[in-house]
Amino acid sequence: MASFARSSLLRQTLAPRAPFLQKNVGVSQVVAFHASAKKQILPPLPQSVQGTMNDPAPIPETHPSEGSYHWSFERLVCVGLVPLSFAPFAAGSLNPVMDAILCSLLVAHSHIGFQAAIVDYFPPSRVPKFRATCNWLLRAFTLTTAVGLYEFETNDVGVTEALRRIWTA
Amino acid sequence: MFSQKVAQQSLRRLAVQQPLAMRSSMMGASPVAVALGKNIQTRQVTSTPNTEDPSQILVKQRLNRPVAPHLTIYKPQIGWIGSSLHRITGVALSGTLYIWATAYLASPALGWHLESASMVAAMGALPLAAKVLLKTTLALPFTYHAMNGIRHLMWDLGRGLTNPVIIKTGWTVVGLSIASAVGLALI
């Protein structure tokens, strides 16, 4: 058979469809679809699989003291702080009991707030050591703050009275 | 020329209708190939041993998952900006309390003077503008955090959780907190 027939016709009919043609179509479609540039602002961190790859992601065990009790306690402290932030200044300060309650609630509120920030920003799966460090640092600082406030209440004029004097100085 | 075209056309027709016939008629092995035993097409069936740890496949796939974009792509809205400010002001206020109380506890050892009398004296020595500026800097985070905190408590009761109300109360808190902070600073 003539070679001219072999060269062009056979290639077109018998050979599988040219792969580069299909690929080209695909590329142009993808380009048209992704009109905006790809912006990967935060690259993914190193990944790891716990257990085998067929296991589901582990769900931490729930406990009321980290859930509903914690939530209610948090809200009770907040609600208590609302009158206590205004009452001493409105009624005149130098009431050691009110001062003590205010300081206790402030320390509890601050501790819970810092804890929430640590939980939000330092997940244990990503930065376990840093999170543990932060938690221990927070506990230490909460302790020194509580003792410091106690010292100030017992040896000085108290938080509200001191704030009033500084404010009107 | 004409006969060539006729041959081409019939060949094309054959190729379209009976490709298998074309293959057998036109791609028949040559006698040399048959003699050499190369008339049969063979494909090597080899399986590469999988030396890769299969658990790493998923780890690699996870790297290709979409990543959450950063804050700058979102339109600034009172909802999330106000929420961020609530946490920022809270951390700033509590951080001030923690640092001051801890420093007060450590002051005898360090020789610092953080008792009320010296702080009042230091504040009184400042010029008026500095006083107002310092008081505003202290009061504004407090008023904002306190008022926005009341908004949060309302949400916890299930009230005011629609978008228009959230926008309205958000701006109300911004205005009230600035006004009350300036008022407190001018006391």
Side-chain angles (χ1 to χ4, degrees):
Chain A
M1 192 48 82
S3 62
F4 72 88
R6 240 182 230 208
S7 56
S8 59
L9 267 175
L10 278 182
R11 222 169 273 158
Q12 279 178 24
T13 50
L14 297 179
R17 182 155 290 186
F20 69 88
L21 206 78
Q22 290 176 346
K23 206 176 262 180
N24 235 0
V25 169
V27 166
S28 62
Q29 278 173 348
V30 167
V31 167
F33 184 70
H34 291 282
S36 57
K38 191 185 180 192
K39 280 187 191 165
Q40 206 156 44
I41 299 158
L42 287 174
L45 291 158
Q47 303 287 317
S48 64
V49 177
Q50 292 186 31
T52 72
M53 56 204 164
N54 292 322
D55 290 336
I59 299 166
E61 279 197 28
T62 56
H63 196 275
S65 61
E66 289 186 349
S68 53
Y69 294 170
H70 181 266
W71 194 89
S72 306
F73 177 69
E74 205 177 358
R75 297 312 182 280
L76 276 177
V77 171
C78 294
V79 169
L81 273 173
V82 173
L84 278 173
S85 356
F86 303 108
F89 301 103
S93 42
L94 275 180
N95 185 339
V97 178
M98 203 185 260
D99 243 26
I101 297 170
L102 174 65
C103 286
S104 318
L105 288 188
L106 274 180
V107 169
H109 188 66
S110 302
H111 185 84
I112 291 172
F114 280 130
Q115 228 175 12
I118 292 171
V119 167
D120 282 355
Y121 303 131
F122 308 124
S125 57
R126 192 198 275 181
V127 280
K129 284 176 193 168
F130 189 70
R131 181 189 171 110
T133 311
C134 283
N135 272 327
W136 281 110
L137 207 67
L138 173 63
R139 281 166 203 151
F141 261 94
T142 300
L143 197 65
T144 55
T145 304
V147 177
L149 283 172
Y150 175 78
E151 289 290 318
F152 193 78
E153 291 294 321
T154 47
N155 300 327
D156 215 307
V157 292
V159 169
T160 49
E161 178 62 21
L163 206 57
R164 191 187 67 76
R165 286 184 191 178
I166 291 169
W167 213 260
T168 52
Chain B
M1 209 55 189
F2 181 71
S3 62
Q4 269 187 6
K5 275 199 173 170
V6 169
Q8 205 172 6
Q9 273 180 359
S10 55
L11 199 62
R12 198 173 283 162
R13 207 171 292 132
L14 182 68
V16 171
Q17 287 166 358
Q18 290 175 317
L20 284 173
M22 282 282 293
R23 188 190 291 268
S24 59
S25 66
M26 298 195 60
M27 293 186 75
S30 67
V32 180
V34 172
L36 291 173
K38 287 185 175 174
N39 56 332
I40 301 163
Q41 192 183 28
T42 56
R43 285 182 193 168
Q44 298 292 326
V45 181
T46 54
S47 60
T48 50
N50 191 4
T51 52
E52 196 183 18
D53 181 8
S55 66
Q56 290 303 303
I57 298 170
L58 182 59
V59 170
K60 277 182 193 162
Q61 282 174 348
R62 282 183 178 179
L63 288 176
N64 294 324
R65 284 178 179 175
V67 177
H70 212 279
L71 294 176
T72 46
I73 74 150
Y74 298 109
K75 182 184 171 190
Q77 284 172 314
I78 186 65
W80 69 269
I81 298 260
S83 181
S84 311
L85 281 176
H86 188 71
R87 173 156 284 181
I88 291 166
T89 51
V91 167
L93 289 165
S94 288
T96 310
L97 175 71
Y98 268 43
I99 288 169
W100 173 78
T102 305
Y104 179 79
L105 186 66
S107 58
L110 298 168
W112 294 347
H113 287 283
L114 291 170
E115 60 274 4
S116 62
S118 47
M119 284 195 296
V120 170
M123 188 70 173
L126 289 173
L128 184 66
K131 270 185 201 170
V132 172
L133 192 69
L134 189 63
K135 283 195 232 176
T136 313
T137 317
L138 281 172
L140 186 55
F142 172 73
T143 52
Y144 180 79
H145 192 84
M147 289 178 192
N148 206 44
I150 290 168
R151 205 160 70 109
H152 267 277
L153 289 173
M154 283 292 130
W155 290 337
D156 292 335
L157 292 172
R159 293 183 189 178
L161 279 171
T162 58
N163 234 353
V165 175
I166 282 173
I167 293 167
K168 205 183 288 172
T169 54
W171 283 111
T172 307
V173 160
V174 169
L176 280 180
S177 60
I178 291 173
S180 56
V182 170
L184 280 173
L186 293 174
I187 287 174

